[in-house]
């Protein structure tokens, strides 16, 4: 399932607590909340978070991490 917002991504990963537990470096709950409000995650977390989403059967556009989308071959 394609998730289109930071809020959806956060929810799919177990909410604020789930995202915080996924990260290699501790962050505050406020920081995760800010990402949801801004609808953008740090680019350095793209691979980690999209891999975790894939394990749960989800995907999300790279633009949520400020990463340009790659064109897909048709």
């Amino acid at each position: 399932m394609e998730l289109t917002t930071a809020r959806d991504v956060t929810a799919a990963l177990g909410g604020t607590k789930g995202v915080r537990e996924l990260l290699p470096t501790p962050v505050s709950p406020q920081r995760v909340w800010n990402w949801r409000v801004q609808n953008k995650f740090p680019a350095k977390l793209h691979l980690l978070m999209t891999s975790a989403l894939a394990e749960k059967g989800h995907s999300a556009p790279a633009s949520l991490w400020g990463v340009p989308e790659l064109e897909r071959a048709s």
Side-chain angles (χ1 to χ4, degrees):
M1 169 185 242
E2 174 87 356
L3 307 174
T4 58
T5 67
R7 182 179 188 161
D8 292 341
V9 169
T10 301
L13 293 175
T16 299
K17 182 179 180 185
V19 171
R20 291 179 67 219
E21 290 174 350
L22 176 68
L23 304 179
T25 306
V27 298
S28 69
Q30 182 65 48
R31 181 162 292 176
V32 177
W33 178 259
N34 290 344
W35 295 339
R36 287 182 54 182
V37 170
Q38 296 166 358
N39 201 39
K40 187 173 180 184
F41 298 104
K44 67 183 180 181
L45 299 178
H46 178 248
L47 183 59
L48 175 72
M49 293 180 77
T50 55
S51 294
L53 285 173
E55 289 176 9
K56 297 177 180 290
H58 299 293
S59 63
S63 59
L64 288 177
W65 289 267
V67 176
E69 293 285 341
L70 296 175
E71 289 186 33
R72 295 183 181 160
S74 37

